[in-house]
Amino acid sequence: MPLSYWVVGIVLLFMPVLANDFVLFQILGWSFILGMIALSLMFLGGYGGMVSLAQMSIAALAGYMVAILGTSGVQAISLHWPWWLYVPVAIIVAAIFATMIGALAVRTEGIYTIMITLAIAAAFFYFTRQNYTIFNGYSGFANVVPPELFGINWRRPIPFYYLALFCAAISYLVVVYVSRSPFGLALQGVRDNPRRMAALGFNVVMHRVVAYTFASVIAAVAGILLVWQNAQISPGTAGLPAVIDILVIAIVGGLARPIGPFIGALIYVLLRTFSPDVLLTLGLPGDRFKLMIGLGFLAVVYWSPDGVLGLWDRWRTHRRKAADPLTGQGGAP
């Protein structure tokens, strides 16, 4: 691993010493969660060539399962299962849902895959908003908190920060490992030339469907963390704006490498948190924070289709070309 990765890892481990509770819980914790959901999209789009807009719906379904099977403020619906039972069941239900989506979407390509997954995300949003028997309709569920294990309140800023950091780090490492495994290499071959891979004996459809299932596990874990962080879940969690936000995060960070979604998530959270104050300072309505996010998205995409990571690579390449060929020193400032 590069030295920079070790430096970032050490800084993140000791971040509670440097940052206050707001930064730990609301900025970094939220960034890790959104980064994991965008990471599941990056795995499908970057390694499989399949851009799915249903990843936020998958995460929301896992969050709903935690509220329904566990404990919430809606006593008439929640089943009060123990955490060691409802957490894996929530992940399994989300994985089954994603597998069904994959089985339908992998038979299409390009814009048709995007439209099918977007239609599924919209259908899921309206279904949860109109269903009161299972999903409690528009109100959703409140008072959904993580269990107190080992005498620790995991919704406190520092414990939750380390929980989100651990899940994000594991998700990142697993994606890196899978991308270099025989399955990951075959999936990338399917992305580049499905006809050739089929001629070599690979089951193209099965590889794509399994990719959806694998990515859904990451999204489901993030969905559980999201409902624990907010202590509630409602149809708006999986609304179309949230669905588009995940796509923006993945593209801004970059779909080429697994670290990109986390960079994009941090940029999004910072803009989402502080742009209302900037707008109010400029004399504009603070509720138009989406304007700042949209402008940032357009700027990144215009200058680098590969996102922030693409800008970084271009800057490093420019410095390398401008350096002295004999000493390797110099270059652009």
Side-chain angles (χ1 to χ4, degrees):
M1 294 179 63
L3 178 61
S4 59
Y5 281 50
W6 289 102
V7 173
V8 172
I10 293 174
V11 171
L12 290 176
L13 283 176
F14 290 95
M15 186 60 69
V17 180
L18 307 173
N20 57 29
D21 290 348
F22 174 78
V23 173
L24 293 177
F25 189 80
Q26 190 64 33
I27 302 297
L28 297 177
W30 194 19
S31 298
F32 292 144
I33 294 171
L34 295 180
M36 291 173 63
I37 302 175
L39 178 64
S40 68
L41 172 58
M42 175 270 152
F43 180 82
L44 292 175
Y47 295 130
M50 303 170 291
V51 180
S52 169
L53 296 185
Q55 299 310 109
M56 192 65 199
S57 301
I58 296 168
L61 178 59
Y64 266 112
M65 289 298 102
V66 167
I68 294 170
L69 301 178
T71 302
S72 74
V74 186
Q75 301 293 329
I77 298 179
S78 297
L79 301 179
H80 306 285
W81 288 8
W83 72 269
W84 52 265
L85 183 58
Y86 70 70
V87 168
V89 171
I91 295 174
I92 292 172
V93 170
I96 294 174
F97 179 53
T99 303
M100 295 170 61
I101 295 175
L104 178 64
V106 298
R107 303 181 186 278
T108 62
E109 294 182 359
I111 187 64
Y112 300 103
T113 302
I114 297 176
M115 294 307 298
I116 286 178
T117 53
L118 178 61
I120 293 173
F124 179 82
F125 164 70
Y126 286 111
F127 177 74
T128 55
R129 194 172 70 170
Q130 297 173 3
N131 182 283
Y132 285 86
T133 304
I134 300 176
F135 295 97
N136 199 36
Y138 185 84
S139 300
F141 296 86
N143 297 326
V144 186
V145 295
E148 291 194 12
L149 301 178
F150 312 110
I152 301 174
N153 181 0
W154 291 98
R155 200 169 179 272
R156 297 288 300 168
I158 293 179
F160 186 84
Y161 167 79
Y162 279 117
L163 178 62
L165 173 62
F166 174 79
C167 293
I170 292 297
S171 300
Y172 171 81
L173 294 175
V174 169
V175 168
V176 171
Y177 174 80
V178 171
S179 67
R180 301 173 182 176
S181 68
F183 169 76
L185 296 176
L187 183 64
Q188 295 171 60
V190 169
R191 172 201 62 193
D192 296 334
N193 198 326
R195 290 182 178 273
R196 179 176 295 178
M197 295 299 291
L200 292 174
F202 289 90
N203 191 327
V204 172
V205 172
M206 183 58 64
H207 275 76
R208 288 174 170 172
V209 173
V210 172
Y212 269 88
T213 306
F214 169 77
S216 70
V217 175
I218 299 174
V221 173
I224 294 173
L225 293 176
L226 183 62
V227 71
W228 282 347
Q229 183 192 39
N230 297 327
Q232 63 88 28
I233 187 168
S234 63
T237 304
L240 295 184
V243 170
I244 301 302
D245 286 343
I246 296 300
L247 178 63
V248 170
I249 289 171
I251 293 178
V252 168
L255 290 173
R257 279 169 283 181
I259 196 63
F262 293 103
I263 297 175
L266 180 60
I267 295 174
Y268 171 84
V269 171
L270 290 174
L271 287 175
R272 175 67 177 82
T273 304
F274 298 108
S275 58
D277 297 332
V278 175
L279 290 173
L280 290 175
T281 302
L282 297 175
L284 299 174
D287 56 355
R288 295 183 179 178
F289 62 90
K290 292 286 186 180
L291 174 64
M292 300 289 291
I293 297 175
L295 291 176
F297 172 74
L298 290 175
V300 171
V301 172
Y302 177 79
W303 293 106
S304 174
D306 296 329
V308 174
L309 288 179
L311 290 174
W312 172 254
D313 290 338
R314 288 169 59 185
W315 179 78
R316 292 181 61 186
T317 302
H318 176 70
R319 283 186 58 88
R320 200 177 299 120
K321 290 181 177 179
D324 189 326
L326 296 178
T327 63
Q329 299 178 353

